Amino acid sequence: MSRGGRHTYAAVSVLAAGALVLTGCSEGGSKSGGNDKEQQENAERQQAAIKFGDEAVSKGPAAEVPGAKPGGTISVLARDSYAHLDPGQIYVQDEMAVSQLLHRGLTGYKSTSNDGSKHEVVGDLATDSGTTTDGGKTWKYTLKDGVKFEDGSAITSADVRHTFERQFAAFVNQGPPYIQQWLADTPGADYRKLLPDGPFKGKHLPDSIIETPDDKTVVFKFKQPHADLPYALAMTGYAIVSEKGDTKEKYDKKPVVTGPYKIQEFKSGKSMVLVKNTNWDPATDPLRHQYVDKFNITFNQQYEDSTKALLADSGTDRTGVSFSNQVDAGNLSKVLNDPKMKSRTVSGFQPYVGQMNINLAHPEMKDIKVRQAIAYALPVTPFVRAYGGTDAMEVAGGIISPTVTGYDPAFDPWGKKKKPAGDPAKAKALLEEAGKTGLKLTFGYINTPEGQQYSTAMAAGLEKAGFDVQRQEIPAETYYDQVSKLDNNYDIFHTAWGADWPSASTVIPPLYDGRAIAEGAQNYSQVNDSKVNSEIDRINKITDPAKASAEWGKLNEYLVKDVVNVVPTAYYKQTQIAGTKVGGLVYDDIIAGVDPRRLYVK
């Protein structure tokens, strides 16, 4: 999943190997004022397995939040407006956060502790997390009694079938690809050939692939075992869509929701109001609450703006919070070191890894020496500093996060941990060898204060090596839509990706499989390397999680060191604050931020 305008964990594989020990955080900006040991423990914890729950633990209602009471309005300060509200189009962190209140899927993550650190995968709309009798080739789900859409219509197996069939339609191009690939038994974007128009021209997947024998039962049938299906189904991208209410592209602005809240008003780029969904039944929902009467969401609130408002703690900001905005760089150390702020501050490692993409669709970027020069020259200090230094980031060596099995803290082929300011001398020599001194680089950057700050300094570092850098701003709201276009103008641009569950199988295939190059897909660098493609197929067949983790680690090294289609920048942390009248505030590991489902007004 993407960050910065992008992904939240979908899940953590029950097959995950044991946690790996982290070494100390690297220094890439300001000195850390936070608790490094606590952050390391948080990252290690997120590598642990999450078990599948049975029918008993899948029943609603969700356990009461201590001290919670109903009523009141919470003000939500958000930087970016929501480009997508259709669950099939959601694969970005801020949209996934608000979706916790709006959408429900067959499975979901149930918090089993009051601090957001322990979870199990349970049935959400389904009666349990799924049953398989053949090692994961066939999975059966039964819908709970009494589950409804916001319009009062019953959720049936026909809606579930429709949800997965519409994923094959061309207009659904921003969400996760896993289940479609599994159903089609093919990697990359070729899955669309199975049902090119989705269900919209009257064709359907055969019962040999997805079967709905009655209104309550759904059976998924794969040719290969997929033990992680309950995790994948917990992703917002697979939340259930109303067959009757599906308006195709228009669904993206006005979906028919299933969660405890519905959209009363949405003014794109300005505001959104969520009110209670009266057709949501807490007795069917083990994950969510409906304490608050209303959520008033205001967009265009930069990190500095939202931090200033919440620190002031006056008026409506006393009941204010942000689902995705973090504390801005200028106030981060102050917040973390102020004992008075502790009760309304939450922090944790996120699964995201920042990376500068090198667009291999552009002829000049195909020269390996040019890419190596970019890798050596690129300074990551400005990026880390723009977000608050090591309280907010840890300098990255590879593309596997500290929260994911297979992470190697020693891997650092471009010397970023030792020289986060870059090595322009080495880069300049490579450019001269290639005869490309003065090469023009179009640098697409996100138009936020942080993006403006780090892109300016990064561009200066690249220019020291002999590049001619032209910065080009991209609106934050549509940033990922723009950089995922096949024919975009950017030679380099930054993205951040988080594992959909703590396995590199949810990092390397979606980002670097050459067969996944498609309009709107997540292979942002458009890399198509035959060794990478074949290794993805080989490793995906390894059933031993420890062995698979080791092999993903080797492929991570090959991509970063030998292919050089991306330059890793930083591993993300998150610190958020709320007003003094907001109750139920916790950092949830799965959501990778504030859990909106348990908030209440004190």
Short mmCIF file of all heavy atoms in Angstrom, two decimals, residues 182-233:
data_model
loop_
_atom_site.label_atom_id
_atom_site.label_comp_id
_atom_site.label_asym_id
_atom_site.label_seq_id
_atom_site.Cartn_x
_atom_site.Cartn_y
_atom_site.Cartn_z
N TRP A 182 -4.75 -14.44 -8.09
CA TRP A 182 -4.93 -15.80 -7.59
C TRP A 182 -6.08 -16.50 -8.30
O TRP A 182 -5.98 -17.69 -8.63
CB TRP A 182 -5.18 -15.77 -6.08
CG TRP A 182 -4.05 -15.19 -5.28
CD1 TRP A 182 -2.79 -14.92 -5.71
CD2 TRP A 182 -4.09 -14.81 -3.90
NE1 TRP A 182 -2.03 -14.39 -4.68
CE2 TRP A 182 -2.80 -14.30 -3.55
CE3 TRP A 182 -5.07 -14.82 -2.91
CZ2 TRP A 182 -2.49 -13.83 -2.28
CZ3 TRP A 182 -4.77 -14.36 -1.63
CH2 TRP A 182 -3.49 -13.87 -1.32
N LEU A 183 -7.18 -15.80 -8.53
CA LEU A 183 -8.32 -16.40 -9.21
C LEU A 183 -7.97 -16.74 -10.65
O LEU A 183 -8.39 -17.78 -11.19
CB LEU A 183 -9.52 -15.45 -9.19
CG LEU A 183 -10.19 -15.22 -7.82
CD1 LEU A 183 -11.18 -14.07 -7.90
CD2 LEU A 183 -10.88 -16.49 -7.33
N ALA A 184 -7.19 -15.87 -11.29
CA ALA A 184 -6.79 -16.09 -12.69
C ALA A 184 -5.58 -17.01 -12.81
O ALA A 184 -5.25 -17.46 -13.91
CB ALA A 184 -6.50 -14.76 -13.37
N ASP A 185 -4.92 -17.26 -11.69
CA ASP A 185 -3.71 -18.07 -11.65
C ASP A 185 -2.66 -17.53 -12.62
O ASP A 185 -2.05 -18.27 -13.40
CB ASP A 185 -4.02 -19.54 -11.97
CG ASP A 185 -2.84 -20.47 -11.64
OD1 ASP A 185 -2.13 -20.17 -10.64
OD2 ASP A 185 -2.63 -21.47 -12.36
N THR A 186 -2.45 -16.22 -12.54
CA THR A 186 -1.46 -15.59 -13.40
C THR A 186 -0.85 -14.38 -12.70
O THR A 186 -1.55 -13.69 -11.95
CB THR A 186 -2.09 -15.16 -14.74
OG1 THR A 186 -1.07 -14.68 -15.61
CG2 THR A 186 -3.11 -14.06 -14.56
N PRO A 187 0.45 -14.12 -12.90
CA PRO A 187 1.06 -12.93 -12.29
C PRO A 187 0.77 -11.68 -13.12
O PRO A 187 0.20 -11.75 -14.22
CB PRO A 187 2.55 -13.27 -12.32
CG PRO A 187 2.70 -14.14 -13.53
CD PRO A 187 1.42 -14.93 -13.62
N GLY A 188 1.17 -10.54 -12.61
CA GLY A 188 1.08 -9.31 -13.37
C GLY A 188 -0.34 -8.89 -13.69
O GLY A 188 -1.29 -9.23 -12.98
N ALA A 189 -0.50 -8.15 -14.78
CA ALA A 189 -1.79 -7.56 -15.16
C ALA A 189 -2.61 -8.46 -16.08
O ALA A 189 -3.73 -8.09 -16.45
CB ALA A 189 -1.56 -6.21 -15.82
N ASP A 190 -2.09 -9.62 -16.43
CA ASP A 190 -2.82 -10.50 -17.34
C ASP A 190 -4.09 -11.08 -16.73
O ASP A 190 -4.89 -11.68 -17.45
CB ASP A 190 -1.91 -11.65 -17.81
CG ASP A 190 -0.95 -11.22 -18.90
OD1 ASP A 190 -1.12 -10.10 -19.42
OD2 ASP A 190 -0.04 -12.00 -19.23
N TYR A 191 -4.27 -10.92 -15.43
CA TYR A 191 -5.49 -11.43 -14.81
C TYR A 191 -6.75 -10.87 -15.45
O TYR A 191 -7.81 -11.51 -15.45
CB TYR A 191 -5.49 -11.16 -13.30
CG TYR A 191 -5.63 -9.72 -12.90
CD1 TYR A 191 -6.88 -9.10 -12.86
CD2 TYR A 191 -4.52 -8.96 -12.55
CE1 TYR A 191 -7.01 -7.77 -12.49
CE2 TYR A 191 -4.63 -7.63 -12.18
CZ TYR A 191 -5.88 -7.04 -12.14
OH TYR A 191 -6.02 -5.73 -11.78
N ARG A 192 -6.66 -9.67 -16.01
CA ARG A 192 -7.86 -9.03 -16.58
C ARG A 192 -8.45 -9.83 -17.74
O ARG A 192 -9.64 -9.70 -18.05
CB ARG A 192 -7.53 -7.61 -17.03
CG ARG A 192 -7.24 -6.66 -15.88
CD ARG A 192 -7.23 -5.22 -16.32
NE ARG A 192 -6.74 -4.33 -15.27
CZ ARG A 192 -7.50 -3.83 -14.29
NH1 ARG A 192 -8.78 -4.12 -14.24
NH2 ARG A 192 -6.97 -3.04 -13.37
N LYS A 193 -7.63 -10.65 -18.38
CA LYS A 193 -8.11 -11.46 -19.50
C LYS A 193 -9.18 -12.47 -19.06
O LYS A 193 -9.94 -12.96 -19.89
CB LYS A 193 -6.94 -12.19 -20.15
CG LYS A 193 -5.92 -11.27 -20.81
CD LYS A 193 -4.74 -12.04 -21.36
CE LYS A 193 -3.69 -11.11 -21.96
NZ LYS A 193 -2.50 -11.86 -22.46
N LEU A 194 -9.20 -12.79 -17.77
CA LEU A 194 -10.17 -13.75 -17.27
C LEU A 194 -11.61 -13.24 -17.40
O LEU A 194 -12.52 -14.01 -17.70
CB LEU A 194 -9.86 -14.09 -15.80
CG LEU A 194 -10.73 -15.15 -15.12
CD1 LEU A 194 -10.54 -16.50 -15.81
CD2 LEU A 194 -10.37 -15.26 -13.64
N LEU A 195 -11.80 -11.93 -17.18
CA LEU A 195 -13.14 -11.33 -17.26
C LEU A 195 -12.96 -9.86 -17.65
O LEU A 195 -13.10 -8.96 -16.83
CB LEU A 195 -13.87 -11.46 -15.92
CG LEU A 195 -15.38 -11.21 -15.92
CD1 LEU A 195 -16.12 -12.27 -16.72
CD2 LEU A 195 -15.91 -11.15 -14.48
N PRO A 196 -12.59 -9.59 -18.92
CA PRO A 196 -12.12 -8.26 -19.34
C PRO A 196 -13.03 -7.08 -18.99
O PRO A 196 -12.53 -6.00 -18.68
CB PRO A 196 -11.98 -8.41 -20.86
CG PRO A 196 -11.78 -9.86 -21.08
CD PRO A 196 -12.59 -10.55 -20.04
N ASP A 197 -14.33 -7.26 -19.04
CA ASP A 197 -15.25 -6.16 -18.74
C ASP A 197 -15.89 -6.29 -17.37
O ASP A 197 -16.86 -5.58 -17.07
CB ASP A 197 -16.35 -6.10 -19.82
CG ASP A 197 -15.78 -5.84 -21.20
OD1 ASP A 197 -15.10 -4.82 -21.36
OD2 ASP A 197 -15.98 -6.70 -22.09
N GLY A 198 -15.33 -7.18 -16.54
CA GLY A 198 -15.99 -7.43 -15.27
C GLY A 198 -17.37 -8.02 -15.53
O GLY A 198 -17.61 -8.65 -16.58
N PRO A 199 -18.32 -7.80 -14.64
CA PRO A 199 -19.67 -8.36 -14.82
C PRO A 199 -20.61 -7.43 -15.58
O PRO A 199 -21.79 -7.73 -15.71
CB PRO A 199 -20.14 -8.52 -13.37
CG PRO A 199 -19.50 -7.35 -12.67
CD PRO A 199 -18.17 -7.14 -13.33
N PHE A 200 -20.08 -6.31 -16.10
CA PHE A 200 -20.95 -5.24 -16.59
C PHE A 200 -21.55 -5.50 -17.97
O PHE A 200 -22.42 -4.75 -18.42
CB PHE A 200 -20.19 -3.91 -16.57
CG PHE A 200 -19.76 -3.51 -15.19
CD1 PHE A 200 -18.43 -3.61 -14.80
CD2 PHE A 200 -20.69 -3.08 -14.26
CE1 PHE A 200 -18.03 -3.26 -13.52
CE2 PHE A 200 -20.31 -2.73 -12.97
CZ PHE A 200 -18.98 -2.82 -12.59
N LYS A 201 -21.09 -6.55 -18.67
CA LYS A 201 -21.71 -6.92 -19.94
C LYS A 201 -22.37 -8.29 -19.87
O LYS A 201 -22.57 -8.95 -20.89
CB LYS A 201 -20.66 -6.86 -21.06
CG LYS A 201 -20.19 -5.44 -21.36
CD LYS A 201 -19.30 -5.38 -22.58
CE LYS A 201 -18.89 -3.93 -22.88
NZ LYS A 201 -17.99 -3.85 -24.07
N GLY A 202 -22.69 -8.69 -18.64
CA GLY A 202 -23.47 -9.91 -18.46
C GLY A 202 -22.68 -11.18 -18.30
O GLY A 202 -23.25 -12.25 -18.08
N LYS A 203 -21.35 -11.11 -18.39
CA LYS A 203 -20.53 -12.30 -18.19
C LYS A 203 -20.10 -12.42 -16.74
O LYS A 203 -19.96 -11.41 -16.04
CB LYS A 203 -19.31 -12.26 -19.11
CG LYS A 203 -19.67 -12.35 -20.60
CD LYS A 203 -18.41 -12.42 -21.45
CE LYS A 203 -18.77 -12.55 -22.93
NZ LYS A 203 -17.56 -12.63 -23.79
N HIS A 204 -19.85 -13.66 -16.29
CA HIS A 204 -19.48 -13.90 -14.90
C HIS A 204 -18.37 -14.95 -14.82
O HIS A 204 -18.15 -15.71 -15.77
CB HIS A 204 -20.69 -14.37 -14.10
CG HIS A 204 -21.79 -13.36 -14.04
ND1 HIS A 204 -21.78 -12.29 -13.18
CD2 HIS A 204 -22.93 -13.24 -14.79
CE1 HIS A 204 -22.87 -11.56 -13.37
NE2 HIS A 204 -23.58 -12.11 -14.34
N LEU A 205 -17.69 -14.99 -13.70
CA LEU A 205 -16.71 -16.04 -13.45
C LEU A 205 -17.46 -17.35 -13.26
O LEU A 205 -18.52 -17.39 -12.63
CB LEU A 205 -15.89 -15.72 -12.20
CG LEU A 205 -15.00 -14.47 -12.27
CD1 LEU A 205 -14.33 -14.23 -10.92
CD2 LEU A 205 -13.94 -14.60 -13.36
N PRO A 206 -16.91 -18.45 -13.76
CA PRO A 206 -17.58 -19.75 -13.60
C PRO A 206 -17.55 -20.23 -12.15
O PRO A 206 -16.72 -19.78 -11.35
CB PRO A 206 -16.78 -20.67 -14.52
CG PRO A 206 -15.42 -20.05 -14.59
CD PRO A 206 -15.65 -18.56 -14.53
N ASP A 207 -18.43 -21.17 -11.85
CA ASP A 207 -18.47 -21.74 -10.50
C ASP A 207 -17.19 -22.47 -10.14
O ASP A 207 -16.92 -22.72 -8.96
CB ASP A 207 -19.67 -22.69 -10.37
CG ASP A 207 -20.99 -21.96 -10.26
OD1 ASP A 207 -20.97 -20.71 -10.13
OD2 ASP A 207 -22.05 -22.62 -10.32
N SER A 208 -16.40 -22.82 -11.14
CA SER A 208 -15.13 -23.49 -10.87
C SER A 208 -14.10 -22.53 -10.28
O SER A 208 -13.04 -22.95 -9.81
CB SER A 208 -14.57 -24.10 -12.16
OG SER A 208 -14.36 -23.09 -13.15
N ILE A 209 -14.42 -21.21 -10.29
CA ILE A 209 -13.51 -20.19 -9.75
C ILE A 209 -14.11 -19.50 -8.52
O ILE A 209 -13.45 -19.34 -7.50
CB ILE A 209 -13.16 -19.15 -10.83
CG1 ILE A 209 -12.30 -19.81 -11.91
CG2 ILE A 209 -12.43 -17.95 -10.24
CD1 ILE A 209 -11.96 -18.92 -13.08
N ILE A 210 -15.35 -19.08 -8.62
CA ILE A 210 -16.05 -18.53 -7.46
C ILE A 210 -17.49 -19.02 -7.51
O ILE A 210 -18.18 -18.84 -8.51
CB ILE A 210 -15.95 -16.99 -7.41
CG1 ILE A 210 -16.60 -16.44 -6.14
CG2 ILE A 210 -16.51 -16.34 -8.65
CD1 ILE A 210 -16.29 -14.97 -5.88
N GLU A 211 -17.92 -19.64 -6.44
CA GLU A 211 -19.24 -20.27 -6.41
C GLU A 211 -20.10 -19.62 -5.33
O GLU A 211 -19.62 -19.35 -4.23
CB GLU A 211 -19.10 -21.77 -6.14
CG GLU A 211 -20.41 -22.53 -6.21
CD GLU A 211 -20.24 -24.02 -5.93
OE1 GLU A 211 -19.11 -24.45 -5.62
OE2 GLU A 211 -21.25 -24.75 -6.02
N THR A 212 -21.36 -19.37 -5.66
CA THR A 212 -22.32 -18.81 -4.71
C THR A 212 -23.57 -19.69 -4.73
O THR A 212 -24.57 -19.35 -5.37
CB THR A 212 -22.67 -17.35 -5.08
OG1 THR A 212 -23.02 -17.27 -6.47
CG2 THR A 212 -21.49 -16.43 -4.83
N PRO A 213 -23.53 -20.82 -4.04
CA PRO A 213 -24.63 -21.80 -4.12
C PRO A 213 -25.94 -21.31 -3.51
O PRO A 213 -27.00 -21.84 -3.84
CB PRO A 213 -24.08 -23.01 -3.36
CG PRO A 213 -23.03 -22.45 -2.46
CD PRO A 213 -22.43 -21.31 -3.20
N ASP A 214 -25.86 -20.34 -2.61
CA ASP A 214 -27.08 -19.75 -2.03
C ASP A 214 -26.76 -18.32 -1.63
O ASP A 214 -25.65 -17.83 -1.84
CB ASP A 214 -27.58 -20.58 -0.83
CG ASP A 214 -26.51 -20.76 0.25
OD1 ASP A 214 -25.94 -19.73 0.71
OD2 ASP A 214 -26.24 -21.91 0.64
N ASP A 215 -27.74 -17.62 -1.07
CA ASP A 215 -27.58 -16.19 -0.75
C ASP A 215 -26.54 -15.91 0.32
O ASP A 215 -26.07 -14.78 0.44
CB ASP A 215 -28.92 -15.60 -0.29
CG ASP A 215 -29.87 -15.36 -1.44
OD1 ASP A 215 -29.43 -15.48 -2.59
OD2 ASP A 215 -31.06 -15.08 -1.19
N LYS A 216 -26.16 -16.93 1.09
CA LYS A 216 -25.27 -16.70 2.23
C LYS A 216 -23.87 -17.26 2.03
O LYS A 216 -22.98 -16.96 2.83
CB LYS A 216 -25.89 -17.35 3.49
CG LYS A 216 -27.27 -16.83 3.89
CD LYS A 216 -27.20 -15.43 4.46
CE LYS A 216 -26.55 -15.40 5.82
NZ LYS A 216 -27.36 -16.09 6.85
N THR A 217 -23.65 -18.07 1.00
CA THR A 217 -22.39 -18.82 0.88
C THR A 217 -21.57 -18.38 -0.33
O THR A 217 -22.10 -18.19 -1.42
CB THR A 217 -22.69 -20.32 0.77
OG1 THR A 217 -23.52 -20.73 1.85
CG2 THR A 217 -21.40 -21.13 0.79
N VAL A 218 -20.26 -18.23 -0.09
CA VAL A 218 -19.31 -17.90 -1.15
C VAL A 218 -18.13 -18.87 -1.04
O VAL A 218 -17.59 -19.06 0.06
CB VAL A 218 -18.79 -16.46 -1.03
CG1 VAL A 218 -17.82 -16.15 -2.16
CG2 VAL A 218 -19.94 -15.47 -1.02
N VAL A 219 -17.72 -19.44 -2.17
CA VAL A 219 -16.58 -20.37 -2.18
C VAL A 219 -15.58 -19.88 -3.22
O VAL A 219 -15.91 -19.74 -4.40
CB VAL A 219 -17.02 -21.81 -2.51
CG1 VAL A 219 -15.81 -22.75 -2.43
CG2 VAL A 219 -18.13 -22.28 -1.57
N PHE A 220 -14.36 -19.58 -2.77
CA PHE A 220 -13.26 -19.21 -3.66
C PHE A 220 -12.47 -20.47 -4.00
O PHE A 220 -12.12 -21.26 -3.10
CB PHE A 220 -12.32 -18.21 -2.98
CG PHE A 220 -12.96 -16.88 -2.68
CD1 PHE A 220 -13.53 -16.64 -1.44
CD2 PHE A 220 -12.98 -15.88 -3.62
CE1 PHE A 220 -14.11 -15.42 -1.14
CE2 PHE A 220 -13.56 -14.64 -3.35
CZ PHE A 220 -14.13 -14.42 -2.11
N LYS A 221 -12.14 -20.64 -5.30
CA LYS A 221 -11.43 -21.83 -5.73
C LYS A 221 -10.19 -21.42 -6.53
O LYS A 221 -10.30 -20.82 -7.60
CB LYS A 221 -12.35 -22.70 -6.60
CG LYS A 221 -13.62 -23.16 -5.86
CD LYS A 221 -14.56 -23.92 -6.77
CE LYS A 221 -15.82 -24.34 -6.04
NZ LYS A 221 -16.77 -25.07 -6.91
N PHE A 222 -9.03 -21.73 -5.98
CA PHE A 222 -7.76 -21.39 -6.62
C PHE A 222 -7.08 -22.65 -7.13
O PHE A 222 -7.24 -23.73 -6.56
CB PHE A 222 -6.84 -20.70 -5.62
CG PHE A 222 -7.44 -19.50 -4.93
CD1 PHE A 222 -7.62 -19.48 -3.55
CD2 PHE A 222 -7.84 -18.39 -5.66
CE1 PHE A 222 -8.16 -18.39 -2.91
CE2 PHE A 222 -8.39 -17.28 -5.03
CZ PHE A 222 -8.56 -17.28 -3.65
N LYS A 223 -6.26 -22.50 -8.18
CA LYS A 223 -5.50 -23.64 -8.68
C LYS A 223 -4.28 -23.91 -7.82
O LYS A 223 -3.79 -25.03 -7.75
CB LYS A 223 -5.08 -23.39 -10.14
CG LYS A 223 -6.25 -23.43 -11.09
CD LYS A 223 -5.80 -23.26 -12.54
CE LYS A 223 -7.00 -23.30 -13.48
NZ LYS A 223 -6.59 -23.09 -14.90
N GLN A 224 -3.78 -22.84 -7.16
CA GLN A 224 -2.64 -22.97 -6.25
C GLN A 224 -3.11 -22.63 -4.83
O GLN A 224 -4.04 -21.84 -4.66
CB GLN A 224 -1.51 -22.02 -6.65
CG GLN A 224 -1.07 -22.13 -8.08
CD GLN A 224 -0.45 -23.46 -8.41
OE1 GLN A 224 0.18 -24.09 -7.55
NE2 GLN A 224 -0.63 -23.92 -9.64
N PRO A 225 -2.49 -23.19 -3.80
CA PRO A 225 -2.90 -22.84 -2.43
C PRO A 225 -2.55 -21.40 -2.08
O PRO A 225 -1.46 -20.92 -2.42
CB PRO A 225 -2.12 -23.83 -1.56
CG PRO A 225 -0.97 -24.28 -2.40
CD PRO A 225 -1.43 -24.22 -3.82
N HIS A 226 -3.46 -20.71 -1.42
CA HIS A 226 -3.23 -19.34 -0.97
C HIS A 226 -3.68 -19.24 0.48
O HIS A 226 -4.81 -18.87 0.78
CB HIS A 226 -3.95 -18.34 -1.87
CG HIS A 226 -3.40 -18.28 -3.25
ND1 HIS A 226 -2.17 -17.72 -3.53
CD2 HIS A 226 -3.87 -18.75 -4.44
CE1 HIS A 226 -1.91 -17.84 -4.82
NE2 HIS A 226 -2.92 -18.46 -5.39
N ALA A 227 -2.71 -19.56 1.36
CA ALA A 227 -3.00 -19.59 2.79
C ALA A 227 -3.27 -18.21 3.36
O ALA A 227 -3.80 -18.08 4.46
CB ALA A 227 -1.85 -20.25 3.53
N ASP A 228 -2.90 -17.15 2.63
CA ASP A 228 -3.03 -15.79 3.13
C ASP A 228 -4.36 -15.13 2.74
O ASP A 228 -4.53 -13.93 2.98
CB ASP A 228 -1.89 -14.91 2.61
CG ASP A 228 -0.58 -15.17 3.33
OD1 ASP A 228 -0.58 -15.97 4.28
OD2 ASP A 228 0.45 -14.60 2.94
N LEU A 229 -5.30 -15.88 2.16
CA LEU A 229 -6.55 -15.25 1.72
C LEU A 229 -7.26 -14.48 2.82
O LEU A 229 -7.74 -13.36 2.57
CB LEU A 229 -7.49 -16.30 1.12
CG LEU A 229 -8.83 -15.73 0.63
CD1 LEU A 229 -8.62 -14.76 -0.54
CD2 LEU A 229 -9.80 -16.85 0.23
N PRO A 230 -7.38 -15.00 4.06
CA PRO A 230 -8.07 -14.20 5.09
C PRO A 230 -7.43 -12.83 5.32
O PRO A 230 -8.14 -11.87 5.63
CB PRO A 230 -7.96 -15.08 6.34
CG PRO A 230 -7.87 -16.48 5.80
CD PRO A 230 -7.03 -16.34 4.57
N TYR A 231 -6.11 -12.73 5.15
CA TYR A 231 -5.44 -11.45 5.29
C TYR A 231 -5.78 -10.53 4.12
O TYR A 231 -6.07 -9.35 4.30
CB TYR A 231 -3.92 -11.63 5.35
CG TYR A 231 -3.45 -12.50 6.47
CD1 TYR A 231 -2.57 -13.56 6.24
CD2 TYR A 231 -3.87 -12.26 7.77
CE1 TYR A 231 -2.13 -14.36 7.29
CE2 TYR A 231 -3.42 -13.06 8.81
CZ TYR A 231 -2.56 -14.10 8.57
OH TYR A 231 -2.13 -14.88 9.60
N ALA A 232 -5.71 -11.07 2.91
CA ALA A 232 -6.01 -10.26 1.73
C ALA A 232 -7.45 -9.74 1.78
O ALA A 232 -7.71 -8.59 1.44
CB ALA A 232 -5.78 -11.08 0.46
N LEU A 233 -8.38 -10.57 2.22
CA LEU A 233 -9.79 -10.16 2.27
C LEU A 233 -10.02 -9.04 3.28
O LEU A 233 -11.05 -8.35 3.22
CB LEU A 233 -10.67 -11.36 2.63
CG LEU A 233 -10.85 -12.41 1.53
CD1 LEU A 233 -11.57 -13.63 2.08
CD2 LEU A 233 -11.62 -11.83 0.34
#
